[in-house]
Amino acid sequence: MADFTRSELVRRIATGGSLRLVGADLSHLDMSGLALSGADLSYANLSHADLEGATLTGASLWSARAQRARMRGANLSSAQLGLADLKDADLRDAVLVECDLTGARLDGADLSRSRLDGTWLDTMQRALAIGAPPTRFPQPQRAETHMLSMDYPRDLIEMRRSDRLQLRYSQEAPPEIELTSLWGDETVLRHVADGDGLAQKQLLYVATGRGRVRVEASFPDGTQTISFDVEVC
């Protein structure tokens, strides 16, 4: 299941300009026709995503997984797709002018009538063109899981987008969680799952935006109320 809905992306584009969705799961998501110029989709999962007619000029799709993605008529001018997996992708009529496809996997991709003027296709070609050693590709920033026990709260938890926050509790009933935005995006933390942990019960949240929120957790029996801040960069 994708980390975002189409409406969430549209809202973020309208309020925050270019998107930073490094490593996000956007598989099977309808993004057709969206204005994604300058978006950072490095290491994102775009398999089976619908990007038909989307504008991705100057976007970064380094090492993105875009198998069977539908990108017909998309504008990818000056986009960076180094090491991207475009196996069986539909790139018919796409604009790939001065696009960097260094090391990209293109077997089975349909590039019929696409524009490839000035496109870089391999490491040696790129090195000769700019008179520099072959590009060193950036290392992915893996999402981390931050664990917090309700019995030992902290004042502040610092996270990156796509990181997960695991709130553990020992009481019988789960706490009621109230999130208050202090600054930043409309949605900074999103509740994604409940479940039994190894020794305690837990609530799981994922950081989906940049900003700071105050988390207040109170238990129905009134035994404990805690408050702490989460800042996502």
Side-chain angles (χ1 to χ4, degrees):
M1 181 178 178
D3 291 336
F4 299 90
T5 64
R6 179 184 174 90
S7 59
E8 286 175 331
L9 292 185
V10 170
R11 184 166 58 249
R12 293 183 67 173
I13 292 169
T15 58
S18 59
L19 300 179
R20 186 176 184 275
L21 299 171
V22 178
D25 184 355
L26 303 171
S27 57
H28 298 273
L29 185 61
D30 178 10
M31 294 179 281
S32 58
L34 292 186
L36 299 168
S37 295
D40 190 349
L41 301 169
S42 305
Y43 309 100
N45 182 2
L46 296 165
S47 59
H48 298 271
D50 186 355
L51 287 155
E52 185 168 343
T55 302
L56 290 146
T57 53
S60 176
L61 286 83
W62 286 113
S63 293
R65 290 174 289 161
Q67 307 96 320
R68 296 186 180 276
R70 298 185 295 280
M71 306 171 82
R72 184 171 185 173
N75 188 347
L76 290 145
S77 298
S78 301
Q80 302 175 34
L81 287 94
L83 298 182
D85 187 348
L86 296 163
K87 185 177 185 295
D88 297 321
D90 183 359
L91 287 158
R92 289 174 293 171
D93 303 301
V95 179
L96 297 162
V97 175
E98 297 185 356
C99 179
D100 189 349
L101 286 164
T102 306
R105 183 179 181 182
L106 293 165
D107 44 314
D110 190 346
L111 293 158
S112 303
R113 299 180 303 279
S114 62
R115 292 183 54 191
L116 296 164
D117 313 51
T119 298
W120 288 333
L121 293 171
D122 60 62
T123 304
M124 187 57 67
Q125 180 184 7
R126 178 186 174 93
L128 292 173
I130 63 177
T135 300
R136 291 185 177 181
F137 302 110
Q139 294 297 314
Q141 291 186 335
R142 299 184 182 277
E144 298 180 8
T145 298
H146 303 258
M147 290 181 288
L148 176 69
S149 170
M150 297 292 190
D151 297 325
Y152 304 99
R154 304 201 303 264
D155 292 333
L156 176 65
I157 298 175
E158 295 179 319
M159 304 170 61
R160 297 193 308 264
R161 274 192 284 189
S162 298
D163 283 359
R164 295 176 182 270
L165 174 63
Q166 187 181 91
L167 301 179
R168 293 185 171 184
Y169 59 94
S170 55
Q171 288 82 348
E172 287 298 322
E176 296 179 358
I177 303 294
E178 182 176 348
L179 303 177
T180 303
S181 176
L182 301 180
W183 63 267
D185 295 338
E186 181 178 350
T187 303
V188 176
L189 279 181
R190 185 176 64 177
H191 178 228
V192 293
D194 303 335
D196 292 328
L198 295 176
Q200 297 171 305
K201 295 182 178 180
Q202 62 188 17
L203 303 175
L204 187 62
Y205 288 78
V206 64
T208 57
R210 182 181 288 111
R212 185 165 180 152
V213 294
R214 179 150 298 153
V215 181
E216 294 183 344
S218 57
F219 289 90
D221 58 8
T223 57
Q224 187 181 18
T225 299
I226 67 169
S227 175
F228 59 92
D229 288 358
V230 174
E231 186 164 298
V232 181
C233 61

